[in-house]
Amino acid sequence: MPPLNGRYKWDAVTEPTDGQKRPRLEPAVKCIVAEQLSNTLSTELFPWTEEAPPECIPKHILNINATSLRRPKSPMPDAEKKGVVIVYIAGGITMSEMRAIYELADTLKRDIYIGSTHIITPRGFLDDMKSLHLKMLL
């Protein structure tokens, strides 16, 4: 398996915009989710967990949204219909990763929900490192 760092820069820096004073680090999760939504994500690095959808099926058939039988269908044109994206990161997520996904959702006008086992804060990270160090000494 090729290393992720060759394709996804975990420490990629973006230039400051008008509202920012310093450059920001962009988490790799933003690039990975953006590629998944544009259908350009590497299947070599991120293989399908089940059988990949056949290429001959039109994409609008694969993007079926559940609707209620009680409510009439929404008047949105087909171009505006977009599915919900759920991102789950096992092992914890940082605030910058959450910010990057919120910005991506805003940019792409999509509903992107992000979740994890817990939120990693600087204090929590240092406490975890401290406990690991103590365990290694025993």
Side-chain angles (χ1 to χ4, degrees), residues 21-126:
K21 297 187 185 202
R22 290 182 267 175
R24 283 185 154 172
L25 294 176
E26 286 295 329
V29 69
K30 184 176 183 178
C31 180
I32 293 169
V33 172
E35 286 186 9
Q36 173 63 32
L37 293 175
S38 65
N39 206 19
T40 59
L41 187 65
S42 167
T43 56
E44 189 177 303
L45 291 174
F46 300 97
W48 288 93
T49 55
E50 296 179 357
E51 186 176 322
E55 297 296 324
C56 61
I57 298 177
K59 289 184 182 180
H60 70 278
I61 293 176
L62 294 176
N63 191 14
I64 298 173
N65 294 327
T67 59
S68 171
L69 296 176
R70 294 180 203 163
R71 282 187 276 154
K73 290 188 177 185
S74 67
M76 283 195 308
D78 287 342
E80 293 183 25
K81 287 185 183 179
K82 297 178 180 175
V84 173
V85 178
I86 300 173
V87 178
Y88 185 81
I89 299 177
I93 187 170
T94 64
M95 299 297 253
S96 64
E97 290 170 330
M98 288 192 294
R99 175 191 46 80
I101 294 299
Y102 292 145
E103 288 174 355
L104 188 64
D106 227 18
T107 303
L108 299 176
K109 306 288 189 245
R110 299 280 305 250
D111 288 333
I112 303 177
Y113 298 102
I114 188 161
S116 182
T117 51
H118 63 283
I119 297 173
I120 301 171
T121 61
R123 169 68 68 187
F125 179 77
L126 292 175

